[in-house]
Amino acid sequence: MTPLKLGMVGGGQGAFIGGVHRMAARLDGHWTLIAGAFSSDPARAHASAKQLGVAPDRSYDSFEQMAAQEATRDDRIDAVSIVTPNHLHAPAAIAFLKAGIPVICDKPLTATEDQAIELAKVVRSTGTPFFLTHNYTGYPLIREAREMIARGDLGQIRVIQAEYAQDWLAEAIETDGQKQAAWRTDPAKSGAGGAIGDIGTHALNLINFVTGEAPSALSADLQSFVSGRKLDDNAHIMLRFDSGARGMIWVSQVAVGCENGLRIRVFGEKAGLEWAQEDPNRMKFSELGRPTRWLTRAGAGTGALATRIPAGHPEGYLEAFATLYTEIAQSLQGDQTAARLIPGLQDGLAGMTFITKCVRSTAKDGQWVNLGDGAL
Ligand SMILES: NC(=O)c1ccc[n+]([C@@H]2O[C@H](COP(=O)([O-])OP(=O)(O)OC[C@H]3O[C@@H](n4cnc5c(N)ncnc54)[C@H](O)[C@@H]3O)[C@@H](O)[C@H]2O)c1
């Protein structure tokens, strides 16, 4: 298969996730990066392009210029990855969608609900493919858990617990010029959610993906522990599901000692399972009245879901991310099976509703709010 042509907005020198997207796109050989508007600063954008081997005529001053010029080329990019701070997701995505160029956007969907509504309208009216990189869905054992729950291995689901704990915002590093912290703690760039938008949306998405259930109501307690910080850096959220299940999400960016502690536990009437992102090649599975088992990626008793190498050779974050890129490439080439599992607009809208409702519930001292009656 000839590699597809990838463009990128953001991800220039000094950025975090753009480099991860590039590694993920390269892993299975389905993509070649050939164009970009890599920074808000044109000089830095062009310096980044040079370093990445992107030709000068495909290195752009701005995403507006890039969308307009790429749209006119016979050898235009096949998709663009948007890896800017949140407030630019909508304007950048809309520019490319209107130009007929598929978009691979990082989470959360947008900074505001209004932006989300506008973006959703454009996705629907143009019909241009739109993907959202909730990359944790790409882990083989997460897919295994999803299949086990769908097959009924756990029985009726009772309790769903997810947590995503980090410690990198335990101090006010945003005031010391730490770039990633600065925009994440600025409501104008991040949106109404701090930790709940940045990592809570991943936890919510993982719950939806693994259990097939979406919460119908929540009660939230958002907190900013670091003095002067305008957005939450810790949150406890209780969840109710229409099925009768109950759940909870804890997100924190001030949990000292936690690095990228994303974990999900699901308990049904017959069995329970547990998976943690920092130990992603094994999953605990306990059937009532039987000894606990540890399932391993590609090991005995598991399916060959999105794995590349035999059991015992650790796979991790980059491989899971790469699975999304591979499936996006396959889906753009008409493979509907690959398209089935890739997060998209609906996941993004669910994340935005979650953020809005967490803020609303907290403002009412944790009052329960329904998730189904929002503008989205
Ligand atoms: N999927 C994940 O696990 C994950 C992890 C980290 C970040 N993210 C998301 O990725 C996005 C970027 O996060 P980050 O940590 O890489 O941020 P970052 O600050 O490290 O990088 C942002 C990049 O966007 C560029 N940029 C800003 N304005 C621009 C413009 N007008 N045109 C072009 N480029 C512009 C910056 O120059 C920089 O290169 C955020 O939306 C974040 O939520 C997702």
Side-chain angles (χ1 to χ4, degrees):
M1 187 174 88
T2 316
L4 297 182
K5 299 181 285 302
L6 184 65
M8 183 166 275
V9 176
Q13 291 167 339
F16 167 39
I17 207 69
V20 172
H21 279 251
R22 290 191 291 269
M23 288 187 268
R26 275 202 300 271
L27 188 71
D28 294 324
H30 292 300
W31 297 94
T32 313
L33 180 74
I34 61 147
F38 293 104
S39 169
S40 53
D41 167 18
R44 186 184 282 253
H46 298 308
S48 304
K50 192 171 176 196
Q51 215 170 30
L52 293 167
V54 168
D57 67 325
R58 306 299 281 269
S59 171
Y60 298 95
D61 286 354
S62 69
F63 65 76
E64 292 91 342
Q65 185 194 55
M66 178 175 164
Q69 293 194 14
E70 284 294 320
T72 64
R73 296 185 73 112
D74 292 337
D75 61 348
R76 57 155 62 178
I77 49 173
D78 296 299
V80 64
S81 299
I82 295 173
V83 286
T84 62
N86 305 346
H87 67 301
L88 295 168
H89 292 180
I94 288 169
F96 287 93
L97 291 166
K98 286 188 171 168
I101 295 172
V103 168
I104 303 165
C105 185
D106 218 314
K107 47 48 61 180
L109 184 65
T110 57
T112 67
E113 263 203 334
D114 284 350
Q115 284 184 325
I117 291 167
E118 196 192 343
L119 176 55
K121 268 192 202 141
V122 177
V123 173
R124 289 171 183 144
S125 66
T126 59
T128 310
F130 179 87
F131 309 97
L132 195 71
T133 46
H134 274 303
N135 45 295
Y136 298 105
T137 60
Y139 278 97
L141 284 173
I142 281 298
R143 292 180 169 200
E144 189 77 32
R146 176 187 160 100
E147 292 224 335
M148 289 166 71
I149 290 171
R151 194 160 67 208
D153 291 1
L154 278 68
Q156 179 75 29
I157 301 302
R158 291 172 169 165
V159 176
I160 306 167
Q161 294 284 118
E163 66 182 53
Y164 199 154
Q166 305 177 326
D167 68 0
W168 71 288
L169 292 178
E171 293 181 302
I173 56 172
E174 60 268 34
T175 58
D176 293 340
Q178 211 277 13
K179 208 173 95 149
Q180 281 81 18
W183 71 255
R184 278 179 172 81
T185 54
D186 176 356
K189 294 185 173 161
S190 185
I196 52 163
D198 198 34
I199 53 178
T201 50
H202 273 313
L204 175 80
N205 184 258
L206 204 59
I207 287 177
N208 294 346
F209 186 83
V210 167
T211 67
E213 297 199 42
S216 52
L218 63 75
S219 161
D221 184 13
L222 308 188
Q223 179 69 26
S224 301
F225 279 110
V226 170
S227 171
R229 189 167 281 163
K230 295 194 184 86
L231 294 173
D232 60 284
D233 50 28
N234 186 86
H236 293 89
I237 302 139
M238 289 202 290
L239 305 171
R240 289 179 183 154
F241 297 82
D242 281 338
S243 66
R246 293 290 188 270
M248 207 164 85
I249 292 177
W250 169 48
V251 292
S252 186
Q253 293 181 311
V254 298
V256 177
C258 296
E259 292 175 341
N260 200 46
L262 173 62
R263 175 189 302 269
I264 184 163
R265 291 185 287 168
V266 185
F267 303 96
E269 59 186 356
K270 294 198 301 194
L273 59 76
E274 176 172 347
W275 176 88
Q277 197 275 153
E278 291 181 348
D279 185 14
N281 287 282
R282 58 187 205 140
M283 178 165 69
K284 185 176 165 187
F285 179 57
S286 308
E287 289 177 285
L288 188 64
R290 290 172 172 241
T292 287
R293 283 184 278 158
W294 285 92
L295 306 179
T296 55
R297 181 195 55 76
T302 63
L305 297 171
T307 73
R308 294 173 179 77
I309 46 177
H313 303 76
E315 283 190 10
Y317 184 75
L318 293 175
E319 287 88 347
F321 220 121
T323 291
L324 259 59
Y325 265 92
T326 292
E327 290 176 344
I328 291 168
Q330 290 165 341
S331 122
L332 289 175
Q333 288 166 324
D335 179 347
Q336 289 316 311
T337 316
R340 205 169 49 94
L341 294 176
I342 312 167
L345 178 67
Q346 280 314 117
D347 300 274
L349 293 173
M352 295 307 294
T353 303
F354 171 75
I355 295 167
T356 304
K357 298 297 172 96
C358 282
V359 171
R360 190 168 304 165
S361 170
T362 300
K364 295 181 176 173
D365 201 21
Q367 192 176 306
W368 282 92
V369 292
N370 290 327
L371 284 159
D373 58 2
L376 304 176

